[in-house]
Amino acid sequence: MEPTYKFRVPIQVRFNDVDIMGHVSNTVYQNYYDAGKMDYFDHVMPDLDYMALGVVGASIKIDYLQPIYMRNKIYVETRIAILGHKSITMEHRLVNCDTGELLSTCSAVLVCYDVRNLRSIPVPGHWRKSITEYEGAQLIIK
């Protein structure tokens, strides 16, 4: 069964995103995925305070399926697929607005982190509740 992505953010492909071959450089894709991640967190966990308690990246995997060109209109879809004890796995995908074509996918493992004490911590209960309510039955809880 195909997962449901409830969260979508339009992405502006900028002139400086494009490389000499005329398509978006692979080094820029993470910026697009980060835009989706930040807006998702703002929407689902608006009290997230990166100066005290936040998330740090543990693993990122990006698949480049089709090139993205400067004039393409795209959006990023984001969801949390797996909710672990101390980590969350986010999945993203870049989609062509005009054709619906899937352009790229990304899976990122993020660890909850106590910034002041420099250590990983369990996912806070109120985050778990917000994520579970937003993602629904498709969410895998470990």
Side-chain angles (χ1 to χ4, degrees):
M1 185 168 147
E2 185 72 19
T4 301
Y5 288 78
K6 298 178 189 177
F7 197 78
R8 180 182 293 179
V9 175
I11 299 293
Q12 179 185 10
V13 178
R14 301 164 301 183
F15 180 80
N16 63 326
D17 293 349
V18 178
D19 62 19
I20 195 165
M21 295 189 309
H23 55 69
V24 172
S25 171
N26 67 312
T27 63
V28 175
Y29 281 60
Q30 186 59 51
N31 293 328
Y32 296 167
Y33 290 127
D34 282 347
K37 174 178 67 179
M38 295 299 295
D39 281 4
Y40 180 98
F41 285 152
D42 287 346
H43 181 76
V44 177
M45 300 179 302
D47 65 333
L48 194 146
D49 176 5
Y50 295 97
M51 300 307 289
L53 179 68
V55 293
V56 294
S59 173
I60 297 172
K61 178 185 183 293
I62 297 174
D63 289 319
Y64 307 93
L65 307 174
Q66 296 290 327
I68 300 172
Y69 298 97
M70 191 170 73
R71 300 257 185 234
N72 288 150
K73 292 185 173 119
I74 64 171
Y75 56 84
V76 60
E77 293 180 318
T78 300
R79 75 186 196 104
I80 293 180
I82 302 171
L83 179 58
H85 177 65
K86 289 186 173 183
S87 66
I88 58 176
T89 301
M90 295 194 93
E91 292 180 346
H92 310 272
R93 57 190 189 182
L94 294 173
V95 179
N96 183 307
C97 292
D98 296 326
T99 66
E101 183 177 25
L102 186 60
L103 305 170
S104 175
T105 59
C106 175
S107 178
V109 177
L110 305 170
V111 175
C112 287
Y113 195 73
D114 179 340
V115 176
R116 292 187 181 114
N117 294 305
L118 306 175
R119 62 183 176 88
S120 65
I121 58 167
V123 177
H126 63 288
W127 289 11
R128 296 183 78 79
K129 182 177 186 297
S130 295
I131 293 166
T132 302
E133 288 174 357
Y134 188 77
E135 294 296 345
Q138 70 179 351
L139 179 66
I140 297 170
I141 301 174
K142 291 188 172 183

